[in-house]
Amino acid sequence: MSSERYHQHFTISWDQLHRDARQLCHQLIERDFKGIVAITRGGLIPAALIARELNIRLIDTVCIKSYDHMDQGGLDIMKGVDHDGDGWLLVDDLVDTGKTARAVREMLPKAHFVTMYAKPEGRPLVDQYLTEVAQQCWIQFPWDMGIAYVEPLADQLKK
């Protein structure tokens, strides 16, 4: 799968990510989880925010690589867990094509799987998500961006 499939970009700020995590937690607050399993790397920060809001202290990781920047390749499973997910909250930042989600569902079939953002191809694989995003949209997460000076519009137009 190539980066050429992305025709739109959706930029998420740190503030927006935090607001979205809190909103997702409002949907989860009545449930009682043993702990959280974060899908690394993208699920680490949402899992930390969710753990704070739900007051969950036990956090584990499933480590899977499927992207090299914007190009999706094969799955490289670097670390799993030693349970089936019963009573656990499984967290990722995004479900895209569902490739990673399918692998994690096989590892943790009893976990409650949530993502912050979901694309149509992967959406059926999660139990809950907050925001749906078009399949051809690339999401710019705040941990992938830097802060840079932006020239004032008046100065830009003078050139």
Side-chain angles (χ1 to χ4, degrees):
M1 206 158 295
S2 166
S3 60
E4 296 170 8
R5 73 184 178 120
Y6 300 108
H7 305 289
Q8 301 170 350
H9 287 267
F10 175 38
T11 302
I12 299 168
S13 68
W14 287 110
D15 288 340
Q16 185 64 50
L17 183 76
H18 197 187
R19 283 191 301 271
D20 289 348
R22 288 184 61 120
Q23 185 62 37
L24 184 58
C25 287
H26 280 286
Q27 299 172 19
L28 298 168
I29 195 72
E30 298 299 322
R31 299 189 58 143
D32 188 29
F33 296 104
K34 293 177 186 176
I36 291 175
V37 176
I39 301 174
T40 68
R41 285 182 317 205
L44 286 172
I45 292 170
L49 295 170
I50 291 168
R52 189 244 180 224
E53 295 301 332
L54 298 181
N55 203 22
I56 296 172
R57 304 230 179 230
L58 184 58
I59 302 174
D60 201 349
T61 59
V62 170
C63 304
I64 298 178
K65 180 181 178 188
S66 65
Y67 275 90
D68 186 12
H69 185 53
M70 293 174 77
D71 296 319
Q72 190 175 36
L75 284 180
D76 181 11
I77 300 172
M78 297 167 278
K79 177 188 172 289
V81 293
D82 63 355
H83 55 81
D84 63 5
D86 188 30
W88 287 76
L89 179 63
L90 179 61
V91 177
D92 206 356
D93 57 346
L94 164 72
V95 61
D96 191 335
T97 63
K99 195 175 191 179
T100 300
R102 276 186 199 84
V104 176
R105 275 283 190 207
E106 286 178 19
M107 279 189 241
L108 299 161
K110 295 184 178 180
H112 186 77
F113 192 176
V114 300
T115 62
M116 304 288 291
Y117 311 100
K119 293 185 179 181
E121 287 179 30
R123 186 182 60 231
L125 296 166
V126 298
D127 297 308
Q128 284 181 264
Y129 64 94
L130 187 65
T131 302
E132 185 170 340
V133 179
Q135 196 67 45
Q136 70 277 11
C137 184
W138 179 257
I139 299 178
Q140 295 284 350
F141 286 101
W143 50 82
D144 289 330
M145 296 181 294
I147 298 173
Y149 173 77
V150 176
E151 189 175 26
L153 185 58
D155 293 342
Q156 292 176 29
L157 296 175
K158 289 178 185 177
K159 293 180 182 178

